[in-house]
Amino acid sequence: MGVDVVAMVDLLGEVREWLARPDSDYSWSSFLDADTALAEIDELTARVRADGRVPFGLSVLFAPTGPIQEVALSSGWGEEFLALADRFDAACSAGEPG
């Protein structure tokens, strides 16, 4: 699978900013808390940079009703999440034959 590494790393930075907001509600997600979520995003971002591909765990985080969407919906940024998810899909499909 082709991936636009620069776009993906940029996107993950934005996701990290949303997850780090003090009003983020983690009660419905599988993340224990903000620190756990941020550590996972940081680890996956490092893997994207190092490997140039999207780890499966990252696809799970962006899946419908996945942990990031659960935080987004309960924290009031559900629409923004949808835009981020679209960008995630676009970055994942970069370089695939059309």
Side-chain angles (χ1 to χ4, degrees):
M1 173 187 333
V3 62
D4 182 337
V5 173
V6 173
M8 184 63 70
V9 168
D10 183 53
L11 169 68
L12 293 173
E14 289 181 46
V15 169
R16 190 183 197 290
E17 288 175 15
W18 282 103
L19 292 171
R21 291 171 55 149
D23 59 343
S24 291
D25 179 0
Y26 288 87
S27 59
W28 292 101
S29 81
S30 61
F31 293 125
L32 183 61
D33 55 23
D35 291 338
T36 305
L38 298 177
E40 189 164 348
I41 291 294
D42 291 347
E43 176 187 335
L44 291 168
T45 301
R47 289 178 59 195
V48 169
R49 281 188 180 119
D51 300 340
R53 59 187 183 83
V54 177
F56 176 73
L58 195 52
S59 297
V60 171
L61 293 182
F62 275 93
T65 71
I68 297 173
Q69 186 175 30
E70 294 294 346
V71 174
L73 291 173
S74 61
S75 302
W77 48 278
E79 291 296 319
E80 291 84 351
F81 169 78
L82 294 176
L84 293 167
D86 285 344
R87 288 175 49 207
F88 175 78
D89 291 341
C92 284
S93 62
E96 288 185 356

